[in-house]
């Protein structure tokens, strides 16, 4: 760095850490910032809510169909007289947990498949990408319904059913990133210093391929929550665990008499998924180098 | 002289292209002694880099292969070695630095991690020991304040500094051969001289032999003892650097030397004008034909050049030239 006293210190351009730059880009996306705050609040509710509001969502605590705000129940009660606020708070846990776990699972499958295909090319790529295409053309909701119907509606099975149908996008993104990065000079340089293939794949190339995968994963948490809501609306859910979709599903017969019992969990899903999508959009701004300096 | 460290004999490397198989390296032989430095010179597309990749066993998969000939390193045949054995050799016995220091380092790891990684892979050093060596190596390649810079990311360094880091990585395991593929092409002229100084110093300290690939005759004069002028995948001329610069025996070497301003000036006072080697390197389709591939650009061309590939003619002082008219050049 220059020590010339004629050059003011502030004018010396300093290379900034990529993480700092990414945060700067994220902050410029106002919608994403608001969404991040909302999402944090939802996650906090999911984690601590049940301790602060320890009413069991399966307990019949009051008369059925008590509207929101009446009789001291902020969100009212459902057709069995169960506290809706308790259902929303306890359901947040399950919805977010399934969303995260299913997204994690599809990232795991997708990254493995995409990395192997993009790194080894040749017949490995052929086989893996044909399998990916096979999963892509399956009607996703139908396929996961079949899995849940066949193997039982436990939380792990629902997570599996969602994860197994949604990893294809990650696989394709990972493969395309690998195809690009494997030709870069630092990969050759790494090869030239005797790095093993497994290390090249997961320690050299993968970290550089992560940004678009992270964005995709964030969006997938949202779609997994929607997916879970869809399945539980159809009754394909663990009856012993409350989730937002399940609340909608169990109250759907009373939609005309007590619309709030369906609307309130619907809003919870809507707000959460929207927040996740906006955060994902912000991550895209932050991590996509093509949008930099715009 | 004892047995050479690296002995390449009649090497032929073929690339599969859309137009068929082309020999990008055609019948190349050379020897490299321990601690010696040799330069490959030639224009782009003459097969200099392919030679380097061939030695490293890093030819583009499924496209390039060693078709015949041998690459013998310290008594071991590399062209038939297993991938596992090659991995042990790469970075440990033979290492390589590349043209583009800006893109040759992994952007997501600190330079210290990248240096330590090679040491840990090849020498089973502990994390702490590898880190300590990384600092020492950074210091050895004259990066100021190595203690602090070791945890810098590549993007925090300039091109010259990154090339120094590359050299540190390449020399971390004290290799016997360092291949430098146009190490200064992407750098400022002022930095180039520093990098050459550094390479020469490191060579003295570690005793590594250096194979330098370049198209810059000035760099050759500065770095190498012997040079190989390559043209279209073939050895055009080979011999001691000073001898070739003074008395080239191949019209192509002569042309290359005439392209360089400061060497020219000392050679012939009366001709200040720079000359060019007119024309371009023939396409891969032409490679491997039984004639002199330089003929189309040569002003000494005769029918003989077009009919038959010229053999290598030996001159005194281990100079060799593959030209029908070598005597007359």
């Amino acid at each position: 760095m220059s020590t010339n006293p004629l050059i003011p210190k502030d004018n010396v351009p300093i290379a900034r850490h990529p993480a700092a730059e990414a945060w700067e880009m994220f902050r410029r996306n106002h919608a994403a910032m608001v969404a991040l705050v909302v999402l944090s609040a939802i996650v906090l509710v999911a984690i601590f809510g049940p301790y602060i509001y320890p009413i069991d969502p399966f307990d019949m605590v009051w008369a059925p169909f008590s509207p929101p705000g009446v009789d001291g129940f902020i969100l009212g009660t459902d057709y069995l007289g169960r506290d809706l606020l308790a259902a929303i708070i306890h359901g947040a846990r399950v919805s977010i947990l399934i969303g995260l776990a299913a997204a994690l699972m599809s990232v795991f499958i997708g990254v493995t498949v995409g990395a192997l295909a993009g790194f080894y090319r040749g017949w490995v790529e052929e086989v893996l990408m044909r399998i990916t295409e096979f999963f892509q053309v399956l009607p996703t909701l139908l396929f996961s319904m079949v899995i849940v119907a066949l193997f039982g509606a436990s939380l792990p099975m629902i997570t599996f059913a969602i994860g197994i149908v949604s990893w294809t996008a990650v696989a394709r993104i990972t493969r395309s990133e690998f195809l690009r990065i494997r030709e870069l000079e630092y990969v050759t340089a790494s090869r030239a210093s005797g790095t093993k293939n497994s290390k090249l794949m997961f320690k050299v190339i993968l970290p550089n391929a992560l940004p678009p995968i992270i964005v995709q994963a964030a969006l997938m948490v949202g779609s997994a929550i929607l997916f879970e809501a869809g399945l539980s609306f159809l009754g394909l859910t663990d009856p012993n665990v409350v989730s937002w979709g399940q609340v909608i599903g169990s109250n759907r017969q009373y939609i005309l008499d007590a619309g709030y019992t369906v609307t309130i969990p619907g809003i919870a899903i809507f707000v959460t998924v929207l927040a996740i999508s906006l955060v994902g959009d912000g991550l895209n701004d932050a991590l996509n180098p093509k949008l930099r300096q715009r | 002289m004892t047995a050479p460290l690296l002995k390449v004999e009649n090497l032929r490397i073929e690339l599969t292209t859309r137009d068929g198989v082309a020999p990008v390296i055609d019948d190349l032989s050379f020897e490299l002694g321990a601690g010696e430095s040799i330069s490959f010179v030639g224009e782009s597309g003459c097969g200099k880099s392919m030679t380097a990749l061939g030695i490293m066993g890093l030819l583009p998969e499924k496209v390039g292969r060693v078709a015949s000939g041998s690459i013998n390193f310290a008594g071991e045949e590399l062209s038939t070695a297993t991938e596992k054995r090659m991995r042990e050799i790469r970075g440990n016995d033979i290492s390589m630095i590349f043209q583009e220091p800006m893109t040759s380092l992994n952007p997501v790891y600190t330079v210290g991690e990248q240096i330590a990684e090679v040491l840990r892979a090849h020498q089973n050093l502990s994390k702490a020991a590898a880190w300590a060596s990384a600092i020492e190596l950074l210091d050895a390649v004259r990066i100021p304040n190595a203690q602090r810079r070791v945890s810098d990311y590549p993007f925090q360094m300039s091109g010259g500094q990154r090339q120094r880091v590359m050299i540190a990585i390449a020399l971390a395991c004290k290799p016997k051969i360092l291949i430098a593929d146009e190490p200064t092409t992407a750098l400022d002229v002022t930095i180039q001289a520093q990098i050459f100084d550094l390479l020469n110093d490191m060579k003295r300290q570690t005793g590594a032999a250096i194979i330098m690939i370049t198209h810059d005759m000035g760099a050759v004069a500065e770095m190498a003892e012997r040079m190989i002028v390559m043209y279209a995948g073939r050895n055009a001329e080979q011999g001691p650097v000073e001898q070739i610069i003074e008395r080239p025996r191949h019209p192509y070497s002569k042309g290359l030397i005439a392209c360089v301003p400061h060497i020219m000036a000392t050679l012939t006072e009366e001709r200040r004008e720079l000359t060019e080697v007119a024309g371009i390197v023939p396409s891969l389709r032409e490679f491997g034909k039984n004639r002199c591939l330089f003929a189309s650009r040569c002003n000494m061309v005769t029918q003989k050049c077009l009919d038959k590939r010229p053999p290598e003619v030996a001159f005194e002082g281990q100079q060799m030239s593959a030209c029908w008219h070598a005597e007359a050049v």
Side-chain angles (χ1 to χ4, degrees):
Chain A
M1 213 159 286
S2 171
T3 49
N4 188 338
L6 292 177
I7 302 172
K9 255 221 160 101
D10 303 342
N11 282 4
V12 181
I14 300 165
R16 289 192 309 159
H17 196 279
E21 204 164 320
W23 173 238
E24 177 65 29
M25 290 303 291
F26 188 88
R27 253 189 0 197
R28 276 194 225 167
N29 187 332
H30 299 299
M33 281 306 285
V34 173
L36 186 66
V37 172
V38 172
L39 192 62
S40 309
I42 295 170
V43 171
L44 286 179
V45 166
I47 297 171
F48 300 110
Y51 304 109
I52 297 166
Y53 196 79
I55 292 177
D56 187 336
F58 287 112
D59 267 359
M60 288 170 237
V61 287
W62 197 246
F65 299 127
S66 168
V70 183
D71 304 326
F73 291 100
I74 299 169
L75 297 179
T77 58
D78 73 352
Y79 74 108
L80 286 176
R82 299 179 292 197
D83 187 352
L84 261 180
L85 179 62
I88 296 296
I89 289 174
H90 288 253
R93 240 183 207 197
V94 172
S95 291
I96 288 174
L97 207 65
I98 287 188
L100 284 176
L104 203 70
M105 179 179 160
S106 43
V107 165
F108 185 76
I109 302 175
V111 163
T112 310
V113 169
L116 289 171
F119 186 81
Y120 284 109
R121 313 288 321 261
W123 66 267
V124 178
E125 184 183 24
E126 279 304 311
V127 171
L128 288 175
M129 290 326 282
R130 291 304 84 78
I131 294 175
T132 307
E133 274 157 22
F134 170 77
F135 274 93
Q136 233 176 351
V137 297
L138 280 179
T140 50
L141 186 63
L142 206 64
F143 185 49
S144 42
M145 277 168 64
V146 169
I147 293 175
V148 176
L150 279 180
F151 301 105
S154 62
L155 283 190
M157 194 47 73
I158 291 168
T159 307
F160 173 80
I162 298 171
I164 199 78
V165 297
S166 46
W167 57 270
T168 53
V170 181
R172 298 180 69 92
I173 290 172
T174 309
R175 170 176 163 271
S176 73
E177 282 296 290
F178 265 63
L179 290 181
R180 180 177 68 82
I181 295 170
R182 78 196 290 274
E183 305 299 334
L184 294 183
E185 208 148 33
Y186 59 78
V187 179
T188 315
S190 196
R191 243 187 243 273
S193 57
T195 310
K196 270 185 273 182
N197 277 347
S198 55
K199 221 170 208 171
L200 273 180
M201 243 188 293
F202 294 110
K203 287 194 85 174
V204 177
I205 303 182
L206 185 59
N208 289 287
L210 275 183
I213 298 174
I214 291 172
V215 172
Q216 181 65 28
L219 297 176
M220 224 146 44
V221 176
S223 63
I225 291 176
L226 277 182
F227 220 101
E228 187 275 334
L231 284 177
S232 42
F233 177 80
L234 295 169
L236 293 165
T237 180
D238 189 336
N240 303 313
V241 191
V242 66
S243 78
W244 294 337
Q246 187 216 30
V247 177
I248 299 178
S250 56
N251 285 299
R252 68 174 184 273
Q253 290 152 279
Y254 314 101
I255 189 165
L256 294 179
D257 306 314
Y260 66 92
T261 53
V262 181
T263 315
I264 289 167
I267 289 173
I269 294 171
F270 169 74
V271 170
T272 309
V273 174
L274 183 66
I276 290 172
S277 291
L278 289 174
V279 168
D281 190 48
L283 281 176
N284 192 30
D285 284 359
L287 300 175
N288 189 343
K290 286 189 201 110
L291 298 173
R292 292 260 166 86
Q293 270 96 41
R294 225 174 39 178
Chain B
M1 206 172 97
T2 50
L5 184 61
L6 181 75
K7 189 170 184 181
V8 172
E9 275 178 311
N10 306 103
L11 180 67
R12 184 183 170 94
I13 293 175
E14 289 178 348
L15 277 195
T16 311
T17 64
R18 249 169 296 160
D19 301 322
V21 175
V24 278
I25 299 295
D26 193 356
D27 200 19
L28 175 74
S29 303
F30 70 94
E31 288 180 1
L32 177 71
E36 205 187 356
S37 63
I38 194 170
S39 256
F40 281 85
V41 197
E43 287 160 284
S44 308
C46 283
K48 296 166 293 170
S49 297
M50 277 300 156
T51 312
L53 294 177
I55 295 168
M56 297 291 284
L58 288 174
L59 291 170
E61 287 160 65
K62 294 179 187 86
V63 179
R65 66 184 192 98
V66 174
S68 62
S70 88
I71 303 167
N72 191 299
F73 168 72
E76 194 176 350
E77 180 57 41
L78 296 189
S79 59
T80 53
T82 60
E83 177 59 25
K84 184 167 175 287
R85 178 67 191 131
M86 283 311 292
R87 269 204 302 273
E88 288 168 12
I89 291 172
R90 281 180 214 140
N92 198 23
D93 294 320
I94 307 178
S95 56
M96 187 163 173
I97 55 179
F98 294 84
Q99 186 172 353
E100 278 290 344
M102 302 308 273
T103 55
S104 298
L105 290 166
N106 194 331
V108 299
Y109 294 110
T110 64
V111 296
E113 283 169 335
Q114 296 186 54
I115 302 173
E117 177 60 40
V118 196
L119 287 164
R120 281 163 61 76
H122 290 296
Q123 309 207 326
N124 290 322
L125 288 188
S126 71
K127 226 173 187 162
W131 190 255
S133 310
I135 296 173
E136 270 170 39
L137 280 160
L138 273 192
D139 201 47
V141 296
R142 297 187 211 130
I143 292 213
N145 206 350
Q147 190 82 36
R148 196 169 56 80
R149 301 302 307 262
V150 72
S151 4
D152 274 5
Y153 285 89
F155 72 89
Q156 291 165 308
M157 295 193 153
S158 68
Q161 286 172 330
R162 289 186 211 187
Q163 194 61 291
R164 286 166 194 274
V165 172
M166 284 306 293
I167 293 172
I169 293 174
L171 295 177
C173 298
K174 305 215 167 24
K176 300 192 179 66
I177 300 176
L178 172 67
I179 303 177
D181 189 354
E182 309 212 11
T184 57
T185 310
L187 299 175
D188 284 349
V189 183
T190 46
I191 310 290
Q192 287 186 7
Q194 295 174 14
I195 295 289
F196 287 143
D197 273 357
L198 176 64
L199 280 173
N200 274 327
D201 266 17
M202 299 307 279
K203 181 181 162 230
R204 262 194 301 277
Q205 281 172 28
T206 63
I210 294 184
I211 297 179
M212 198 168 81
I213 294 168
T214 181
H215 52 246
D216 177 0
M217 275 289 182
V220 175
E222 200 148 347
M223 285 296 297
E225 291 144 19
R226 284 196 304 125
M227 68 193 269
I228 297 173
V229 181
M230 301 255 316
Y231 189 77
R234 292 177 187 174
N235 176 5
E237 184 163 10
Q238 210 177 107
V241 170
E242 280 169 34
Q243 202 173 324
I244 291 185
I245 289 176
E246 207 158 307
R247 182 82 182 84
R249 294 287 189 175
H250 194 286
Y252 183 56
S253 334
K254 197 177 176 183
L256 284 180
I257 292 163
C259 291
V260 181
H262 67 272
I263 298 180
M264 265 283 296
T266 58
L267 259 186
T268 49
E269 239 88 31
E270 66 273 19
R271 275 188 62 196
R272 293 254 168 224
E273 226 170 275
L274 285 180
T275 51
E276 55 164 345
V277 184
I280 53 161
V281 180
S283 78
L284 278 179
R285 246 170 301 164
E286 305 291 315
F287 280 44
K289 290 198 171 149
N290 187 17
R291 60 184 181 83
C292 177
L293 293 173
F294 186 63
S296 59
R297 300 169 72 184
C298 185
N299 51 17
M300 302 176 71
V301 60
T302 56
Q303 192 55 42
K304 203 177 184 183
C305 306
L306 300 172
D307 291 342
K308 203 164 162 36
R309 175 176 176 173
E312 288 178 10
V313 190
F315 290 88
E316 58 183 310
Q318 295 180 327
Q319 193 173 353
M320 265 191 297
S321 167
C323 175
W324 286 114
H325 308 291
E327 296 283 353
V329 174

